[in-house]
Amino acid sequence: MTKRFDGTRDLRRAVDRLARRLPEPLEDLAWISYNYLWSWTPGGYELFTTIDDHRFKLAGENPVRFLLNLPERDLLRAATNNHYLELLDGVARRMEADLARPTNRVVPTGPVAFLCAEFAVHQSLPVYSGGLGVLAGDYLKETSDQALDVVGVGLFYRRGYLHQRMDLSGWQHEYWIEANTGQLPIVRVRGADGLPVKVQVPVWDSELSAQVWRVNVGRTTLYLLDTELQENSPLERWVTARLYEGSHDIRLAQYALLGIGGVRALDAMGITPGLFHMNEGHPALALLEVASQTAAQLSGERPELKKLLDVSRDRFVFTTHTPVPAGNETYSSEEFFRVLGHSIDEMGIVRDELAALTRIDESSSTEPMGFSPLAIKCSRSTNGVSRRHGEVARGMWNPLFAGTLEADVPITYVTNGVHLPTWMAPTMRNLLSRFLGYDWERHANDLNMWNHVDEISDIDLWDARCQMRLQLVEMIRSRVVVDRLARGEDVDHAVSGLDAFDPTNLTLGFARRLATYKRLDLLFHDVNRLHRIVDHEHGAQFIIAGKAHPLDNEAKTVAKNMFTVKRTMDLPNRVIFLEDYDMRVAPALVAGCDVWLNMPRPPMEASGTSGMKAAMNGGLNLSVLDGWWSEGYNGQNGWAIDGSTMDDPHAQDEHDANALYDLLEKEVKPMFFARDSNGIPVVWLSRIRASLRSLAPMYSSARMVDDYNERIYHSHG
Ligand SMILES: *Cc1c(COP(=O)(O)O)cnc(C)c1O
């Protein structure tokens, strides 16, 4: 077997280095810290929080940084504590057993390379902005759990996605924090010569150079490309500085690095994928690199690009996440070739042939160039991310398949799912463990197993829900005071946040990227009605969170209007905005809310996943019948707002806002507060059981990865 320089050796060195700093009985902590598997292994968090909860939080829940900065006496104390050593041994043996399982090949010819512009594996590695990244992170974890042969490829954004601060007026400001690579659980991949593995991609007028970082996500490896190198100019180094830069130039450079550089990096490490999975259009230029590799193997005259791509078609599958044409980024051919012309020329590709493939109308010379048409035309399979999104995508891309009826457009769907061990709170996990049987988490997609939730008593289920709500309320109280002080609210108001929320009230959540199509403003459509919903001894309370893209002034205005409305409501502690939404706060929100709201403008929600996370925790969804909810809702497992579309968006908003208020007033609140003689909302609990039974198995990443395996990776046709 040829020796591979894929970072295995570099990781071992980093682990050894960290282990040498630890007392001998704690040495296992070193390798555990360098594999994110700890974050979803039972007991994993406790390994660090029981040493020093506060310091672990300060270290951003990054175990490497935590251990490197821990005073020696704390380490020694843990090393001599038998309870702690037992915990450590238990987690270490469990992780070892998981990592020692044999790997299952997905396709016989090599691993699946999963290419994506963002990955949300853990809050300590902030190379994600929202739903797409969380999906990609959950996918990697699930492929690890199923011992599948998969590698992830992405970019290492040193400053990641924005952090959010609101000012007094409710206007969003952004700031970025640069990562300290020396203290992250990642390692630079080095080659046989001991020097960092590097790849070059021509961008603008010079060579963009990138190094490769390796991250262990359980058994699955994630490689991240990074241009912060001496030999690169300041502009070139900026290419992997931040996610979703506004500049088209930077974005094109990022996507070239991801697609072309990603394939080259795998090559340089001796990894030959049997299949490339392009998750969203950003990595589509990978097609070109593989095509030019194909050309290099052919003798004689080089065939045209289309023919080359026909040869590699069998090795590519594509998942689209965008239900509206505007969401598919396009570029004028002038800007495209200004940035990527040299790359294209160097690969021996004829510019016009490429341009045609990126267009809907191949005979046009003015239509902007897009990655999605290229990916759809050149992959063996394209799928949307929910049943409804599949339909929408078939309609949207019908023009690519001239003469084909919409229903026959070859775009299928695999509905998204979420990684249960990541998103289900310990309280719920512990409760379910008593009823679902041995090793239930490994069978998350088993429909019959979930029928056992009917055996959970009212009192146990209600206790768990109340505990999770209380934990959320406590988190909100501590955060809201600081948020308010930081933006300069008066001290009395800031401190009143300590009494924010009532742990017995109906708690509703709305948290996701603040894009206008998500229609947070529906909630504030009729302030008097909202006021009546919250203003009662048995009232409701709303927790809202989310970030707007820095250039999205419309979305920022929605947030600002919310602040203005909140001020006029004189109930500032019943509707709370939590700043800087990310993976650190998301688990508490999806676990603690009784109702999870989603009001997208249909059909613009391709899938949505936060509602799935809420459902796993016993939260109930109240959502527009769009994305995953249009197939998940069955009449008993939550509430629905009609998902049909109207031509007049204002009329639709009016209609949907009223539907939302009606449901809250007439169904949700009365059901939550209808109690039996023991104070238990019996009907509410039966709805939770219906939700768990029907949604937890279907919207787990276990089901999603099974679907990819059976319907996308293995199907030819
Ligand atoms: C789950 C999640 C999302 C996606 O939420 P949607 O409702 O699908 O938009 C975004 N951000 C974070 C931090 C999440 O955990």
Side-chain angles (χ1 to χ4, degrees):
M1 200 173 133
T2 53
K3 200 157 183 181
R4 282 211 283 184
F5 290 91
D6 58 2
T8 313
R9 187 188 52 162
D10 309 294
L11 204 69
R12 204 159 46 232
R13 288 203 180 135
V15 167
D16 287 346
R17 217 163 30 240
L18 181 57
R20 280 199 295 276
R21 301 177 57 108
L22 302 174
E24 198 254 16
L26 300 186
E27 271 178 2
D28 278 336
L29 277 179
W31 67 265
I32 290 173
S33 298
Y34 273 95
N35 192 329
Y36 276 111
L37 179 57
W38 69 264
S39 70
W40 76 93
T41 298
Y45 264 92
E46 289 72 24
L47 279 186
F48 307 105
T49 55
T50 49
I51 296 181
D52 191 333
D53 190 20
H54 182 62
R55 272 178 185 271
F56 190 53
K57 287 214 174 70
L58 283 181
E61 303 193 352
N62 164 2
V64 173
R65 184 172 155 201
F66 172 69
L67 292 174
L68 285 175
N69 294 292
L70 204 62
E72 187 153 342
R73 64 169 195 291
D74 290 336
L75 288 171
L76 289 175
R77 187 149 24 91
T80 50
N81 176 332
N82 281 335
H83 280 304
Y84 183 80
L85 295 177
E86 251 169 58
L87 173 70
L88 174 57
D89 193 57
V91 175
R93 298 297 84 83
R94 202 188 256 256
M95 283 175 62
E96 255 169 16
D98 188 86
L99 298 171
R101 291 178 296 153
T103 301
N104 302 313
R105 275 265 139 127
V106 180
V107 289
T109 42
V112 174
F114 187 83
L115 278 55
C116 188
E118 51 171 310
F119 287 91
V121 171
H122 189 256
Q123 51 266 41
S124 59
L125 190 66
V127 293
Y128 66 93
S129 78
L132 181 69
V134 175
L135 180 84
D138 280 6
Y139 168 90
L140 294 186
K141 292 174 188 172
E142 184 64 39
T143 58
S144 169
D145 289 349
Q146 298 193 21
L148 299 179
D149 193 16
V150 170
V151 293
V153 179
L155 300 180
F156 181 56
Y157 307 95
R158 295 214 167 214
R159 293 169 180 80
Y161 197 56
L162 64 96
H163 288 277
Q164 174 189 57
R165 266 285 165 223
M166 312 304 273
D167 67 19
L168 269 176
S169 76
W171 192 253
Q172 172 183 295
H173 298 260
E174 301 90 22
Y175 63 98
W176 285 262
I177 298 173
E178 193 163 347
N180 177 354
T181 51
Q183 301 201 341
L184 277 171
I186 65 177
V187 293
R188 202 187 317 258
V189 177
R190 291 172 187 276
D193 52 7
L195 297 172
V197 166
K198 285 185 191 170
V199 293
Q200 272 77 36
V201 180
V203 170
W204 295 295
D205 289 324
S206 59
E207 288 283 352
L208 180 67
S209 215
Q211 56 186 343
V212 186
W213 298 90
R214 176 181 171 134
V215 190
N216 276 4
V217 185
R219 312 164 48 94
T220 300
T221 304
L222 171 61
Y223 292 106
L224 299 173
L225 277 69
D226 167 30
T227 62
E228 182 63 46
L229 287 170
Q230 283 283 304
E231 58 260 46
N232 285 331
S233 71
L235 171 64
E236 289 166 337
R237 291 186 203 177
W238 193 257
V239 169
T240 53
R242 305 196 299 207
L243 252 103
Y244 300 129
E245 283 285 270
S247 148
H248 275 193
D249 269 58
I250 302 282
R251 283 199 187 207
L252 282 169
Q254 289 182 332
Y255 302 155
L257 185 63
L258 175 62
I260 302 168
V263 176
R264 290 182 183 169
L266 292 174
D267 228 23
M269 293 184 289
I271 300 169
T272 310
L275 188 67
F276 292 92
H277 184 164
M278 300 181 286
N279 195 41
E280 190 55 318
H282 312 123
L285 297 176
L287 286 157
L288 304 184
E289 174 62 13
V290 172
S292 78
Q293 286 176 359
T294 309
Q297 287 156 7
L298 299 176
S299 53
E301 202 171 321
R302 184 181 169 118
E304 64 170 317
L305 181 59
K306 230 179 193 151
K307 295 251 162 56
L308 286 172
L309 288 167
D310 274 340
V311 177
S312 59
R313 175 185 311 279
D314 237 22
R315 289 178 70 200
F316 282 89
V317 299
F318 174 50
T319 299
T320 171
H321 292 258
T322 321
V324 280
N328 293 276
E329 293 168 33
T330 56
Y331 302 88
S332 74
S333 57
E334 195 274 325
E335 60 188 354
F336 188 96
F337 290 115
R338 185 179 66 234
V339 182
L340 302 179
H342 287 307
S343 259
I344 306 303
D345 298 347
E346 187 206 62
M347 289 188 282
I349 291 166
V350 179
R351 291 187 184 196
D352 285 346
E353 288 180 12
L354 170 61
L357 287 171
T358 63
R359 291 180 172 131
I360 297 168
D361 174 5
E362 297 203 353
S363 64
S364 164
S365 59
T366 51
E367 189 187 309
M369 298 170 64
F371 290 129
S372 297
L374 175 70
I376 295 171
K377 290 179 200 176
C378 305
S379 302
R380 89 154 123 85
S381 142
T382 296
N383 71 279
V385 288
S386 70
R387 188 173 64 203
R388 181 166 188 185
H389 179 225
E391 286 162 18
V392 171
R394 284 193 288 279
M396 191 165 107
W397 295 113
N398 200 349
L400 287 180
F401 302 90
T404 306
L405 290 175
E406 186 173 313
D408 297 330
V409 169
I411 297 180
T412 181
Y413 74 95
V414 171
T415 305
N416 285 344
V418 297
H419 187 241
L420 185 145
T422 296
W423 293 107
M424 188 181 279
T427 309
M428 198 49 139
R429 260 170 111 167
N430 293 340
L431 177 65
L432 291 175
S433 292
R434 287 165 44 202
F435 296 91
L436 298 192
Y438 173 73
D439 219 18
W440 66 276
E441 286 160 347
R442 286 250 184 267
H443 310 104
N445 52 344
D446 178 346
L447 282 161
N448 286 328
M449 179 188 80
W450 286 92
N451 286 331
H452 293 290
V453 299
D454 286 345
E455 295 157 21
I456 306 175
S457 73
D458 284 346
I459 187 108
D460 282 344
L461 186 53
W462 186 235
D463 266 1
R465 288 299 314 155
C466 289
Q467 237 181 69
M468 288 153 85
R469 188 185 319 104
L470 178 64
Q471 281 164 3
L472 172 63
V473 168
E474 281 169 353
M475 190 271 271
I476 289 170
R477 286 175 171 172
S478 66
R479 293 256 320 215
V480 73
V481 177
V482 177
D483 281 359
R484 286 176 179 173
L485 288 171
R487 64 175 169 257
E489 307 241 18
D490 72 60
V491 171
D492 284 347
H493 175 52
V495 173
S496 78
L498 283 176
D499 301 319
F501 278 25
D502 179 331
T504 65
N505 270 349
L506 171 65
T507 304
L508 303 99
F510 180 102
R512 49 181 59 82
R513 270 181 317 113
L514 288 185
T516 44
Y517 82 85
K518 304 268 194 182
R519 290 195 301 178
L520 170 61
D521 44 348
L522 285 199
L523 189 57
F524 301 95
H525 190 81
D526 182 338
V527 182
N528 292 328
R529 261 182 109 172
L530 176 62
H531 204 286
R532 282 200 298 277
I533 290 167
V534 298
D535 182 21
H536 197 274
E537 191 190 341
H538 293 314
Q541 51 203 8
F542 293 86
I543 178 72
I544 297 160
K547 297 170 181 171
H549 187 277
L551 295 179
D552 190 350
N553 282 333
E554 244 183 294
K556 288 186 178 181
T557 304
V558 169
K560 185 173 147 85
N561 291 343
M562 168 186 66
F563 269 65
T564 311
V565 168
K566 264 162 55 67
R567 272 212 177 95
T568 64
M569 276 179 63
D570 74 65
L571 276 169
N573 288 332
R574 285 277 171 100
V575 180
I576 297 245
F577 183 81
L578 201 64
E579 288 185 10
D580 209 26
Y581 178 57
D582 64 4
M583 266 192 98
R584 207 162 27 115
V585 293
L589 293 184
V590 294
C593 286
D594 299 295
V595 175
W596 197 254
L597 297 172
N598 196 13
M599 299 90 76
R601 180 182 303 289
M604 292 173 77
E605 184 82 309
S607 169
T609 53
S610 58
M612 303 172 183
K613 303 170 194 164
M616 306 237 158
N617 284 291
L620 294 173
N621 280 273
L622 192 179
S623 172
V624 170
L625 287 174
D626 196 16
W628 80 283
W629 194 231
S630 73
E631 68 199 75
Y633 176 63
N634 68 7
Q636 273 111 58
N637 55 4
W639 293 274
I641 296 171
D642 177 19
S644 47
T645 55
M646 293 184 192
D647 290 333
D648 176 0
H650 296 291
Q652 173 129 33
D653 288 352
E654 173 87 25
H655 172 271
D656 293 355
N658 283 326
L660 170 67
Y661 292 131
D662 282 346
L663 281 172
L664 291 176
E665 288 166 354
K666 298 187 181 125
E667 294 198 35
V668 180
K669 264 183 81 178
M671 191 188 292
F672 184 82
F673 287 110
R675 305 294 167 93
D676 71 2
S677 54
N678 297 316
I680 289 178
V682 177
V683 180
W684 187 272
L685 293 178
S686 65
R687 203 160 272 232
I688 291 180
R689 289 192 193 89
S691 166
L692 278 168
R693 257 191 341 253
S694 58
L695 302 177
M698 288 306 288
Y699 300 99
S700 64
S701 54
R703 192 273 310 146
M704 172 179 75
V705 167
D706 279 353
D707 279 355
Y708 274 112
N709 234 336
E710 285 159 22
R711 306 208 333 245
I712 306 293
Y713 298 159
H714 288 172
S715 80
H716 286 250

